[in-house]
Amino acid sequence: EIVMTQSPATLSVSPGERATLSCRASQSVNRNLAWYQQKVGQAPRLLIYGASTRATGIPARFSGTGSGTEFTLTISSLQSEDFAVYYCQQYDKWPPLTFGGGTTVEIK
Amino acid sequence: EVQLVESGGGLVQPGSSLRLYCTTSGGTFGDSGMHWLRQAPGKGPEWVSGISWNNVFINYGDSVKGRFTVSRDNAKNSLYLQMDSLTTEDTALYYCASRREGQGFGIWGRGTMVSVSP
């Protein structure tokens, strides 16, 4: 099973600032990685797939980079609606499909 | 736009069974793989099971293998999860989600809550 590790667990950022979230895989997942945003009381929403492709309707301030075992999600200028929990997920080698433990982006 | 709607959750005792349902609103499953995921209170999502569009490939997470059975009926645009021998560890919000090859889980339902308690 591929273990996904996200850091930091919590990120405190001021509105308008940049947020950088990290995700590491226990073995290479090539570029088969997705990022999700989850707000309280809602289902996760797909932001990025293929490590860097934005899903339909996702604003350009969200960008993903990386390949192999190291990935980054960047939110270029945080808006109020971006404060949420973010998860990475690999779909390179499965079953099982595995998620990271999440990064909470909170208002500083 | 396709929406997914789960149902069938509830409060049951350990050892009981439940059957979850997922149907579409506003479209079809199409050629997407369909999956069940769950999320325990305060935890991240956990993949439970997936089934390919043509029912050829069926997979389960280790924690539910041998107890849960996934199936789908494309003619009815329905996905099912038969859950047997439930334990308190199965308590979670259960989501159905679609996934196309090479992508993440693009469409999620709102979830149905399963609570297993003595």
Side-chain angles (χ1 to χ4, degrees), chain A residues 1-103:
Chain A
E1 173 177 331
I2 296 180
V3 177
M4 307 301 293
T5 303
Q6 291 186 242
S7 61
T10 304
L11 188 61
S12 298
V13 185
S14 300
E17 290 188 340
R18 174 187 298 258
T20 302
L21 290 67
S22 296
C23 175
R24 174 176 292 178
S26 60
Q27 59 184 278
S28 175
V29 298
N30 297 295
R31 291 181 60 82
N32 295 312
L33 183 107
W35 288 95
Y36 301 85
Q37 176 194 69
Q38 187 175 31
K39 299 180 181 179
V40 173
Q42 297 184 16
R45 177 175 71 145
L46 178 66
L47 298 175
I48 301 282
Y49 63 91
S52 61
T53 302
R54 280 189 301 277
T56 302
I58 301 304
R61 64 180 182 272
F62 291 92
S63 63
T65 59
S67 66
T69 62
E70 301 284 343
F71 300 88
T72 300
L73 175 70
T74 301
I75 312 171
S76 60
S77 176
L78 271 157
Q79 306 298 303
S80 58
E81 61 267 30
D82 300 335
F83 293 95
V85 182
Y86 292 82
Y87 296 99
C88 61
Q89 176 245 325
Q90 68 83 20
Y91 51 91
D92 187 72
K93 299 176 182 64
W94 66 286
L97 293 156
T98 51
F99 289 81
T103 292

Side-chain angles (χ1 to χ4, degrees), chain B residues 40-115:
Chain B
K43 302 294 185 181
E46 177 191 10
W47 175 78
V48 173
S49 179
I51 183 168
S52 61
W53 69 273
N54 56 4
N55 291 288
V56 171
F57 299 103
I58 295 176
N59 294 287
Y60 300 95
D62 285 346
S63 60
V64 307
K65 201 174 295 183
R67 300 187 300 122
F68 289 11
T69 304
V70 66
S71 60
R72 66 189 287 172
D73 185 335
N74 290 336
K76 296 181 178 179
N77 288 308
S78 293
L79 175 72
Y80 311 97
L81 186 68
Q82 177 65 38
M83 304 188 298
D84 298 321
S85 304
L86 285 162
T87 75
T88 56
E89 301 294 306
D90 297 317
T91 293
L93 184 63
Y94 283 72
Y95 295 102
C96 68
S98 67
R99 177 179 170 268
R100 293 194 163 186
E101 189 63 33
Q103 301 185 18
F105 298 106
I107 303 173
W108 298 64
R110 299 185 70 174
T112 185
M113 187 67 201
V114 172
S115 297

Side-chain angles (χ1 to χ4, degrees), chain B residues 1-6 22-29 34 76-78 96-98 106-111:
Chain B
E1 178 180 320
V2 176
Q3 294 183 325
L4 301 176
V5 180
E6 304 93 337
C22 173
T23 61
T24 63
S25 171
T28 68
F29 287 155
M34 294 301 298
K76 296 181 178 179
N77 288 308
S78 293
C96 68
S98 67
I107 303 173
W108 298 64
R110 299 185 70 174

